[in-house]
Amino acid sequence: GTILQILLISQFFTIANSTAGQIAYGIDKHKTVATWAAIEAIFNLALSLVLVKTMGLYGVAWGTSLSQMAIHLVFWPHYVKKHLGVPVVTYLWQGWGRITVCSIPFALASVAADRYWQPSSIATFFIQVAAVLPVYVLSVFVFFRVEAVTLIQEWRQSRLAKAQVASQSA
């Protein structure tokens, strides 16, 4: 479990940059992305080999997480700035900051639910998740209010347009 928790740290950074990676492929920048992926792999191997001697498997997990974190914090924000013109601070805030802050109330609610309401079965666990999930939905709506309202308006307009097309063809 501890190894997975250490590896989860790297996923925080990897997931935030997955969209940037897809954009890089879309604008035909495979070579740079592949080069940095190779650099990350070499850094991961070297760091894991150093840390395994003192920390065992935890060291390998830390080597993986730290190498991914370094590449995703150093390479990707500057790469996005260079090729898409998005300032580094804007990229970091929009890619990681807002969603992290948005997730804090849900994390706190989850910790409280886990501490004071231990599930005794898988069904109870899913009920617990269902009870806490609205906290996240509310947080997303508060932190991404403008985007949420825009999406709802676009959805309504598309439904209205489809209804008009259907009524004209009937």
Side-chain angles (χ1 to χ4, degrees):
T2 303
I3 291 172
L4 291 176
Q5 289 173 340
I6 296 168
L7 292 172
L8 182 63
I9 295 167
S10 67
Q11 289 305 302
F12 173 77
F13 298 98
T14 303
I15 289 170
N17 289 320
S18 63
T19 302
Q22 297 305 312
I23 291 169
Y25 296 139
I27 61 174
D28 198 28
K29 299 296 180 187
H30 304 84
K31 186 176 180 180
T32 306
V33 174
T35 300
W36 278 92
I39 291 168
E40 178 185 330
I42 292 166
F43 185 43
N44 180 355
L45 178 62
L47 199 52
S48 294
L49 288 174
V50 169
L51 295 176
V52 74
K53 293 177 184 176
T54 58
M55 302 172 73
L57 285 178
Y58 298 120
V60 175
W62 277 113
T64 300
S65 284
L66 292 173
S67 63
Q68 284 187 349
M69 183 173 60
I71 295 300
H72 286 279
L73 279 174
V74 173
F75 168 70
W76 282 107
H78 296 289
Y79 185 83
V80 168
K81 180 182 180 192
K82 178 181 177 184
H83 292 287
L84 302 177
V86 178
V88 171
V89 172
T90 301
Y91 180 73
L92 292 175
W93 172 245
Q94 295 296 336
W96 290 318
R98 285 178 72 195
I99 198 68
T100 300
V101 172
C102 171
S103 300
I104 291 172
F106 176 70
L108 294 173
S110 295
V111 167
D114 188 53
R115 185 169 197 179
Y116 298 110
W117 180 20
Q118 288 290 318
S120 57
S121 67
I122 193 74
T124 309
F125 170 75
F126 283 115
I127 291 168
Q128 181 184 26
V129 170
V132 176
L133 196 56
V135 174
Y136 187 70
V137 172
L138 183 60
S139 291
V140 167
F141 191 76
V142 168
F143 283 92
F144 295 93
R145 181 175 44 258
V146 172
E147 292 87 347
V149 168
T150 301
L151 283 173
I152 291 168
Q153 288 173 344
E154 288 174 0
W155 176 75
R156 284 183 179 167
Q157 288 173 352
S158 73
R159 301 271 304 164
L160 181 60
K162 286 179 185 177
Q164 288 174 346
V165 168
S167 69
Q168 289 174 353
S169 62

